[in-house]
Amino acid sequence: MKTRGFILALIVVLLAGALGACAKDAEPSGSAGPAASGSPTAASGSEFEEKKDIEVMAWWPIVVKPEDEVIKFINEKFNVNLKITVADWQPNIDNLAMRVASGDYPTYALMPWYWVGDLGVQYKALVEDKVALNVTELAEKHGFTRILDQLKQADELGVNPIYADASGDYYSIPRNDGYPNPGLFIRQDWLDQLNLAIPTSWDEVETVLKAFVANDPDGKKNVGLTLNGADGLGTFDQILTAFTGVHPVGWTKQNGQWTHRALLPEFKDGVKYLHRLYEEGLVDKEFGFLKASNAREKFTTGRAGMIIHNANGVDYRDFIQVPLTQYNSSAEVTLAVPFPSGPKGQIRASGNPYGSTGILFANKDEEASVRMLAILDWLLSDEGTNLSLNGVEGIHYDLQDGKVVYREDKWQADFGGIEHHFIRHLIFPGIAKEQSPRVLPILQDNYNDVIEHGVREEIVGVNTENTAKFGPKMSEVYTKWITNFVIGDADIDSEWEKFIAEWTSYGYEDIIKDIENFEASSSN
């Protein structure tokens, strides 16, 4: 059966990573309804005559408990019994892969970007095997206009080649994650102790790192800047972007011609900067072995003064702030906002706001899938947004003089201190970074800095035989050489051309032609 091809393709990706009645919307999209902009009301389950069991699978940092009041609210409103299966990132993906292999599909699941990327082989297999339902067709049939609007927005941002088939139909709902939100975390108490300001440029970062390492405020022989390097060089790419002005994906149009940032002289300058940090002992010399959790552990135990890391609520609080204060109650952390500038000015890597996607799986009971789509469509309404950001009035919050006043104990119990409830994670969590009243001001400032100064991919959706054939090898060669340049195992000046020659030998000219053809066809 075709599903075997899906599993074989999936195994390859996982190994690489180790390196009717329900046709009616509870509140039809066409009309906001009396409670659309106010508090959610759940007394609409009667519109769905038959109760449906719905299973949702996703990654999430906290457990969604059966007594969760937001889930209970949705169960009542849509006459469903939601079973929420969540796990950390990789366990969730592994579990989902096994479920797909056995044909035991959930109703809805979040799929990671590496399954989907430019209609990746796993995603294509799900579509071809008719395991993934045609979301465009279902939304049009049942009048889910908010879902259709989300698909239209994806079209307008030019990412439809990633998610839609040749006819333009979507077999998933591209999830707007908001813009990727990295940050440079710094020990504020070390800055204060050494009478230093938050650095605003990468030259100033180097100066601060020298002071951190030389003075070693916590007496732990700190390594200066630590970062995740075991899963690739993405964290270094935040620095390199400030030198090149080009997104880490690398393909860029310069003076009317397509090229790659690795061929720009500014890129070489950036690599020299990283090598200097390494040689002077200002960047963690174990970076190539560190996963994000390893780097965090160094930062939160006084063995590093800076870390490049995701800067979302749960990352800031649970992964950085709480462990740091447990280690040292007087320790403080801050973010470098605005992000440090480089030769290209106030520029940082951002990317496209779409990263993952939600798939409705073909089960024996299609009505359950449509019911799930009704829930997702409603979550895009004002009422659904209010539920996912604030909770249920009278349980998670009260309205006093028109303002939301949280019942902290219950809100924390069901939201876990994250800016939005799990249920928003399934469809459109990016909005929480812009609308949630619970976002810390410094995180909001960092996110606004990403929006204002982030550079994005210059071309999206190029997926050809050449990119599939040569892309992995080009990435491997790039990682090998840049790592060796940084740590000094290869000399930047004398061996740079050797690196370029090897890297471009893997289909570079063919991919450039594919990009040019894609650009030409997209403009017609």
Side-chain angles (χ1 to χ4, degrees), residues 24-27 42 44-52 54 72-81 144 371-379 387:
K24 291 176 61 181
D25 187 357
E27 174 196 315
S44 54
S46 59
E47 296 186 19
F48 301 102
E49 296 177 1
E50 183 181 355
K51 192 164 191 171
K52 293 294 179 183
I54 292 177
K72 288 167 66 175
F73 178 95
I74 292 174
N75 281 342
E76 180 181 349
K77 183 174 183 66
F78 289 91
N79 195 21
V80 296
N81 178 30
F144 296 132
R371 189 80 58 90
M372 183 69 215
L373 200 59
I375 294 171
L376 296 172
D377 186 81
W378 177 80
L379 284 170
L387 176 73

Side-chain angles (χ1 to χ4, degrees), residues 132-187:
L133 293 176
N134 188 323
V135 173
T136 301
E137 187 178 90
L138 281 177
E140 289 175 346
K141 177 180 178 181
H142 298 281
F144 296 132
T145 57
R146 297 188 193 97
I147 296 292
L148 292 172
D149 185 59
Q150 292 304 295
L151 304 184
K152 181 181 178 182
Q153 289 181 33
D155 277 346
E156 291 171 349
L157 280 175
V159 297
N160 55 322
I162 300 176
Y163 302 96
D165 66 7
S167 68
D169 281 358
Y170 286 82
Y171 286 78
S172 66
I173 306 171
R175 193 190 73 161
N176 188 314
D177 297 315
Y179 293 101
N181 197 22
L184 177 63
F185 290 82
I186 307 176
R187 282 288 295 272

Side-chain angles (χ1 to χ4, degrees), residues 169-294:
D169 281 358
Y170 286 82
Y171 286 78
S172 66
I173 306 171
R175 193 190 73 161
N176 188 314
D177 297 315
Y179 293 101
N181 197 22
L184 177 63
F185 290 82
I186 307 176
R187 282 288 295 272
Q188 178 66 59
D189 54 320
W190 288 13
L191 292 173
D192 295 341
Q193 182 178 333
L194 300 174
N195 197 29
L196 296 168
I198 297 174
T200 60
S201 70
W202 287 105
D203 285 340
E204 291 179 8
V205 167
E206 185 175 3
T207 300
V208 171
L209 288 173
K210 287 179 179 178
F212 280 0
V213 171
N215 291 277
D216 196 23
D218 282 10
K220 295 292 186 72
K221 297 181 180 180
N222 81 85
V223 297
L225 171 67
T226 190
L227 67 173
N228 167 20
D231 296 329
L233 298 174
T235 41
F236 274 153
D237 277 331
Q238 286 296 325
I239 301 175
L240 292 170
T241 294
F243 280 80
T244 64
V246 178
H247 187 271
V249 167
W251 302 108
T252 177
K253 201 169 190 179
Q254 303 280 324
N255 300 317
Q257 300 295 320
W258 282 99
T259 183
H260 193 277
R261 69 170 189 166
L263 304 181
L264 303 179
E266 299 90 341
F267 180 76
K268 186 177 180 180
D269 293 338
V271 176
K272 285 185 174 182
Y273 173 85
L274 294 175
H275 172 63
R276 187 168 71 245
L277 293 186
Y278 186 91
E279 283 294 294
E280 296 180 0
L282 306 181
V283 66
D284 197 334
K285 293 197 172 185
E286 296 182 342
F287 73 86
F289 303 100
L290 300 177
K291 292 186 177 294
S293 58
N294 306 131

